[in-house]
């Protein structure tokens, strides 16, 4: 069964952060983690981005996301949303 990764992305961002987010999404696709990223409005301040992955790669993808956010100073712009249990 597929697992879903969710990301909360700030709507109002400067062009530099916007470029970093687009590059991040492209990297998720080119690394083969997903083929498509779904984008929905969460509220007036954030988008909710989601994509499906194979269950056995969940930890690897979450670690990659956290590392990318940290390495590119995106903690104020994008966050990994914990799955409901």
């Amino acid at each position: 069964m597929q697992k879903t990764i969710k990301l909360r992305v700030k709507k109002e961002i400067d062009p530099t952060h916007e470029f970093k987010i687009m590059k991040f999404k492209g990297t998720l696709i080119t690394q083969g983690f997903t083929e498509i990223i779904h984008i929905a409005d969460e509220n007036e301040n954030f988008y909710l981005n989601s994509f499906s992955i194979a269950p056995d790669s969940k930890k690897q993808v979450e670690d990659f996301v956290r590392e990318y956010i940290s390495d590119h100073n995106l903690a104020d712009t994008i966050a990994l949303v914990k799955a409901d249990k």
Side-chain angles (χ1 to χ4, degrees):
M1 173 174 239
Q2 296 278 9
K3 297 287 183 181
T4 300
I5 301 289
K6 294 181 182 177
L7 305 167
R8 182 172 287 119
V9 181
K10 194 173 183 180
K11 285 185 177 181
E12 306 259 341
I13 56 177
D14 61 57
T16 301
H17 281 88
E18 186 174 355
F19 176 75
K20 287 180 181 181
I21 298 266
M22 290 183 347
K23 187 174 178 183
F24 168 62
K25 291 178 184 180
T27 301
L28 289 170
I29 293 168
T30 58
Q31 291 290 323
F33 293 130
T34 188
E35 292 181 5
I36 188 166
I37 299 172
H38 304 278
I39 303 170
D41 282 332
E42 182 178 42
N43 56 40
E44 65 184 42
N45 298 314
F46 295 96
Y47 295 111
L48 193 60
N49 291 213
S50 61
F51 57 96
S52 297
I53 58 167
D56 58 343
S57 64
K58 184 174 189 263
K59 181 174 178 359
Q60 177 189 10
V61 174
E62 287 179 344
D63 289 347
F64 173 81
V65 168
R66 285 187 192 98
E67 186 176 314
Y68 195 97
I69 289 169
S70 175
D71 290 351
H72 293 87
N73 300 316
L74 292 171
D76 292 337
T77 308
I78 189 168
L80 185 61
V81 178
K82 289 289 185 187
D84 297 330
K85 293 188 178 190

